[in-house]
Amino acid sequence: MADSLKETALALGFDAAADIDVATLKPQEWVRSECAENKCQAFNKNWTCPPACGTLEECGARMQRYRRGMIVQTIGQLQKDIDSRGYAEIGLRHSENFRKLAEEVKKQYPDALCLGAGGCRVCKQCAYPEPCRFPEKAYSSMEGYGLFVTQVCRDNGVQYNYGRRTIAYSGCVLYDQKDEAEE
Ligand code: SF4
């Protein structure tokens, strides 16, 4: 099944897909503190971002409910060292493919936890703090859950840096929930 999920991810257009060990998903306070600096303007403004997505402990416990995980990457070439248009285009490709992947995964694993790159952008403006308009489509980011993507890649033997003038966006899918007795 894991192989078929990877095949699905690659067929959707991701450049890399690999299994990850859920035990390597270790939320870190400093990652969350970067969210609090609010560079992306989503802190305390989006259901899928901190603080609304849960405390670091809650996010950590939620991830550890799963037996298996997969990381996917979109790798793109930049035209110059700082290429705002390139970041945006490659990021959009990643987000659109991740939304499709999440839909496919949830057909097999309705309780899967999908963590993309950047918080939910389904609505032009998030309804927060009013109820989420499309909870079935909303997903948090790996960073929002306190994950340092470089560490997750390193601990799972996945390349993260693809060289000068490249950018890699990552997301992960956790699936196959443990039984209560296993938790
Ligand atoms: S679906 Fe809309 S309301 Fe819900 S988290 Fe995403 S942006 Fe916010």
Side-chain angles (χ1 to χ4, degrees):
M1 187 59 75
D3 283 348
S4 81
L5 279 189
K6 281 186 274 185
E7 284 163 16
T8 300
L10 295 173
L12 284 172
F14 287 102
D15 299 299
D19 294 328
I20 52 172
D21 178 354
V22 177
T24 65
L25 302 178
K26 299 169 186 157
Q28 302 187 43
E29 193 64 60
W30 72 267
V31 178
R32 292 281 296 244
S33 64
E34 297 216 340
C35 292
E37 287 180 20
N38 202 18
K39 287 180 190 149
C40 57
Q41 310 289 312
F43 182 79
N44 205 22
K45 289 195 177 102
N46 190 302
W47 279 112
T48 65
C49 294
C53 65
T55 65
L56 206 63
E57 292 70 27
E58 287 167 340
C59 291
R62 219 173 278 151
M63 292 189 286
Q64 294 307 319
R65 282 187 207 140
Y66 295 87
R67 291 191 187 94
R68 294 192 282 172
M70 172 178 74
I71 192 163
V72 292
Q73 292 176 323
T74 303
I75 305 155
Q77 197 69 44
L78 302 170
Q79 298 305 315
K80 47 190 176 180
D81 288 345
I82 307 290
D83 181 0
S84 304
R85 183 188 289 187
Y87 296 137
E89 287 175 359
I90 300 158
L92 184 62
R93 176 156 62 93
H94 181 78
S95 302
E96 287 179 350
N97 286 340
F98 195 76
R99 183 176 44 74
K100 291 180 201 160
L101 177 64
E103 281 174 16
E104 288 302 314
V105 170
K106 288 195 175 190
K107 285 180 192 167
Q108 294 177 59
Y109 299 98
D111 296 328
L113 178 61
C114 302
L115 302 172
C120 181
R121 301 285 185 271
V122 168
C123 309
K124 205 168 175 188
Q125 185 164 356
C126 184
Y128 182 80
E130 298 302 319
C132 173
R133 299 183 189 101
F134 306 103
E136 72 289 353
K137 292 184 184 173
Y139 53 79
S140 294
S141 67
M142 292 181 73
E143 290 84 357
Y145 266 49
L147 297 175
F148 180 39
V149 177
T150 307
Q151 171 261 309
V152 174
C153 290
R154 188 189 59 221
D155 288 357
N156 287 284
V158 174
Q159 192 171 345
Y160 178 72
N161 187 334
Y162 289 86
R164 186 165 176 247
R165 292 194 177 170
T166 64
I167 178 84
Y169 289 98
S170 302
C172 70
V173 168
L174 308 181
Y175 59 99
D176 193 10
Q177 278 219 50
K178 293 175 185 169
D179 302 325
E180 274 181 34
E182 284 179 77
E183 290 183 28

